[in-house]
Amino acid sequence: MAFNFICRVLPALILLSLLSCRVQAQLLTTGFYARTCPNLQSIVSSAMAKTVANEPRMGASILRLFFHDCFVNGCDASVLLDDTPTFTGEKNAFPNQKSIRGFEVIDTIKSLVEASCNATVSCADILALAAREGVVQLGGPSWPVALGRRDSITASQAAANNHLPSPGSSLSTLISAFAAKNLSPRDMTALSGAHTIGQARCATFRSRIYSDNNINPIFAALRRLNCPSSGGDDNLAPLELQSPNLFGINYYQNLVGGGGLLHSDQELFNNGAQDSLVRQYSLNPVLFFNDFAAAMVKMGAISPLTGNNGQIRLNCRKVN
């Protein structure tokens, strides 16, 4: 009942955030393709529903892909570009190696969209819509996605290495990294709730379960079963143990109990400035859903290419 209520009231609750988005990126609007590609949203929604039904983890993967795109020179689909002999993209940047996935899903959706409205919709907009639909399919909130982004014709591995916070980040580092993108500590704490779904590699949380002191010992022992002190780097563990395929507040409840999988997760609840908000989210799914949705609107407005900047790629993996 509460979740249905959230879905009904979210558009009104985050209207101000959407208006702010349109100010920052003047040509972005939810109705951008209303005439040129009226079936766009239904195409993306249907494709993501099938994808997540087949592999629930992919909802988290596409959301992560969108985050890794937006945090590196804006939401411009630069993360989707393949390396070539003469071009170095972002896919092999350190934070992205063996981490980001879901490129084939975006390729499939792009093909479906191209069949309906050729050379019209950017890969950046498809990724933004797919990220939302993945969250919705896993029981999370919806939000209005402003559209009109264009695709970059370049990428920056150096920016990916420098701008994406690591799983070992401190709270101050996290706050600074998000502030650089005009996202507040509250936005950061809400967006971190994306870790209520998905999985992480042993290499990203090994130091957490073997070295950190602020960890629930039972939880640490459980995670060590599948993540040895050496080797097994690619072994996976759910970021949120109880319901890794359901978008909810268990992530924050785990933090309160010392059960954050990543060091950067537990930094949100470690006698610091975000403790109070984490407690609130752990008890109030409506508050978390509202804040997450509003923060996603803001993140989706980071430095988009519009107007005559960039291009509409025909293949998301390469420039035209």
Side-chain angles (χ1 to χ4, degrees), residues 95-108:
N96 293 336
Q97 289 179 355
K98 298 183 178 181
S99 172
I100 54 173
R101 59 195 294 270
F103 301 107
E104 296 81 4
V105 173
I106 301 302
D107 291 341
T108 297

Side-chain angles (χ1 to χ4, degrees), residues 54-174:
N54 182 60
E55 184 189 358
R57 181 190 173 199
M58 193 56 73
S61 297
I62 297 299
L63 178 59
R64 178 177 176 81
L65 193 59
F66 184 51
F67 171 80
H68 279 229
D69 183 38
C70 291
F71 258 59
V72 181
N73 298 328
C75 308
D76 59 3
S78 60
V79 73
L80 303 179
L81 291 170
D82 283 341
D83 288 357
T84 73
T86 59
F87 173 82
T88 300
E90 298 164 13
K91 290 183 177 180
N92 288 308
F94 182 74
N96 293 336
Q97 289 179 355
K98 298 183 178 181
S99 172
I100 54 173
R101 59 195 294 270
F103 301 107
E104 296 81 4
V105 173
I106 301 302
D107 291 341
T108 297
I109 298 175
K110 176 65 171 175
S111 296
L112 294 171
V113 171
E114 286 295 306
S116 180
C117 28
N118 178 254
T120 301
V121 181
S122 68
C123 300
D125 279 343
I126 288 173
L127 180 55
L129 287 169
R132 179 189 64 185
E133 294 307 313
V135 170
V136 170
Q137 290 299 318
L138 294 176
S142 183
W143 58 89
V145 176
L147 302 168
R149 301 170 189 80
R150 289 169 66 84
D151 298 322
S152 69
I153 57 175
T154 187
S156 175
Q157 186 175 104
N161 282 326
N162 292 327
H163 295 174
L164 292 165
S166 79
S169 295
S170 66
L171 180 60
S172 61
T173 297
L174 292 170

Side-chain angles (χ1 to χ4, degrees), residues 10 67 132 158 166 205 236 243 302 316:
L10 264 176
F67 171 80
R132 179 189 64 185
S166 79
F205 61 85
L236 297 174
S243 52
I302 297 175
C316 292

Side-chain angles (χ1 to χ4, degrees), residues 20-21 24-25 28 70 75 149 296-304:
S20 172
C21 165
Q24 295 175 42
L28 297 188
C70 291
C75 308
R149 301 170 189 80
M296 286 298 296
V297 170
K298 291 177 66 177
M299 189 177 78
I302 297 175
S303 304

Side-chain angles (χ1 to χ4, degrees), residues 14-22 24-25 28 66-67 70-71 74-75 143-146 149 178-179 181-188 190-191 290-304:
I14 61 177
L15 178 60
L16 290 179
S17 292
L18 179 59
L19 292 175
S20 172
C21 165
R22 293 183 64 180
Q24 295 175 42
L28 297 188
F66 184 51
F67 171 80
C70 291
F71 258 59
C75 308
W143 58 89
V145 176
R149 301 170 189 80
F178 280 74
K181 307 301 177 184
N182 294 316
L183 295 167
S184 69
R186 188 181 190 97
D187 296 327
M188 180 272 294
L191 290 171
N290 288 346
D291 282 3
F292 181 85
M296 286 298 296
V297 170
K298 291 177 66 177
M299 189 177 78
I302 297 175
S303 304

